Amino acid sequence: MSAKKILIVEDEQAIREMIAFHLSRAGYETLEAGDCREAREQIADNRPDLALVDWMLPDMSGLELTRMLKRSDEFEDLAIIMLTARAEERDKVTGLEGGADDYITKPFAPRELMARIQAVLRRSGTANNGVVRSGVLELDVEGHRILSCGKEIRLGPTEFRLLQFIMTHAERVYSRSQLLDRVWGANVYVEERTVDVHVRRLRKALSVAGADRYIQTVRGAGYRFSVRDV
Ligand code: CA
């Protein structure tokens, strides 16, 4: 199981390093950015599970960055906690309206930050210890396995990531290029038909449980995970 990745977007180096220190001690993998431009690069390249975003940043406000990410198809699932030095309630409201999942006022105790991070990760689709059930399938995210009627279905690493992604984003149609971005990573250059190859393998593996029909082809659009019949 891999550690959750947390991106720290904060221009004050001392604060950034302090947060990174506490996060890595708590077992998280940390990424750092000093401004929004760096943050966007880190997000596209390294796909963090959660971002801590400071309100005041040199090139763009943390709130604008949050809005932009939450409005994009690609990054809307990224969990965001805003950090701010402003304690006023109205800022809190504005921060959450911008789409942030939570909000924490500086100065904060590391323990409080850790508790907020855990709560947000638990709520978001990327929760560490979640079990996702759909039809006859049970995805054990923590245990990194897929079960049907208590029996494990063996999957290759790519098939597992693909299934995990579409199962946690059920009923939505994803094009091949969107799946490449979300499952393989934005900077990996593989052909779109690679997706078809892995979908075929995934269906074959799931067919033992009669669950291959959950991976539906949507003609001219892409693929969808659904337990309903087409
Ligand atoms: Ca700042």
Side-chain angles (χ1 to χ4, degrees):
M1 190 197 66
S2 60
K4 291 284 164 195
K5 269 188 237 174
I6 300 183
L7 171 66
I8 309 157
V9 191
E10 163 66 82
D11 54 323
E12 282 163 79
Q13 199 188 341
I15 298 181
R16 207 167 64 220
E17 285 175 357
M18 183 272 288
I19 297 174
F21 169 77
H22 288 289
L23 288 176
S24 37
R25 219 174 49 168
Y28 294 106
E29 189 182 328
T30 61
L31 303 164
E32 297 181 33
D35 56 34
C36 293
R37 189 190 54 81
E38 276 177 25
R40 293 169 66 179
E41 282 173 13
Q42 289 276 18
I43 291 164
D45 294 351
N46 297 309
R47 303 269 151 182
D49 299 288
L50 183 145
L52 299 171
V53 179
D54 185 34
W55 189 287
M56 299 290 284
L57 291 164
D59 52 347
M60 193 190 204
S61 84
L63 183 61
E64 283 175 84
L65 175 68
T66 300
R67 277 209 184 106
M68 205 173 67
L69 292 167
K70 290 290 182 179
R71 276 181 194 160
S72 76
D73 275 351
E74 212 183 339
F75 304 117
E76 62 180 351
D77 294 333
L78 173 66
I80 298 180
I81 297 178
M82 292 221 47
L83 312 176
T84 180
R86 304 185 198 183
E88 293 92 11
E89 201 67 29
R90 63 185 164 83
D91 287 340
K92 197 168 197 161
V93 173
T94 324
L96 297 174
E97 274 175 356
D101 298 276
D102 203 356
Y103 191 96
I104 190 164
T105 307
K106 291 195 263 185
F108 46 78
R111 250 173 78 182
E112 192 191 349
L113 180 65
M114 296 307 144
R116 299 287 186 94
I117 289 173
Q118 277 170 14
V120 167
L121 284 176
R122 218 169 17 237
R123 283 206 306 266
S124 73
T126 58
N128 249 335
N129 46 3
V131 171
V132 182
R133 287 186 186 85
S134 288
V136 297
L137 297 179
E138 205 176 296
L139 170 72
D140 172 4
V141 179
E142 179 99 300
H144 207 80
R145 25 180 228 163
I146 183 89
L147 303 158
S148 180
C149 304
K151 266 184 74 180
E152 184 172 357
I153 299 174
R154 300 233 167 247
L155 296 177
T158 306
E159 284 72 49
F160 183 86
R161 284 205 312 276
L162 176 62
L163 180 61
Q164 176 169 351
F165 176 75
I166 55 175
M167 220 172 140
T168 52
H169 295 80
E171 304 301 333
R172 281 171 64 170
V173 180
Y174 289 94
S175 68
R176 288 168 180 79
S177 80
Q178 282 172 325
L179 288 172
L180 281 177
D181 279 357
R182 307 288 294 254
V183 178
W184 277 259
N187 291 332
V188 178
Y189 297 99
V190 287
E191 289 177 67
E192 291 193 357
R193 65 187 171 89
T194 303
V195 176
D196 303 326
V197 172
H198 289 278
V199 164
R200 217 175 301 138
R201 284 188 200 154
L202 179 57
R203 278 183 178 143
K204 194 172 173 213
L206 295 179
S207 66
V208 296
D212 47 320
R213 65 184 175 89
Y214 299 165
I215 317 294
Q216 302 174 353
T217 303
V218 181
R219 217 169 284 277
Y223 294 104
R224 164 179 62 210
F225 181 94
S226 177
V227 297
R228 298 178 210 156
D229 288 317
V230 212

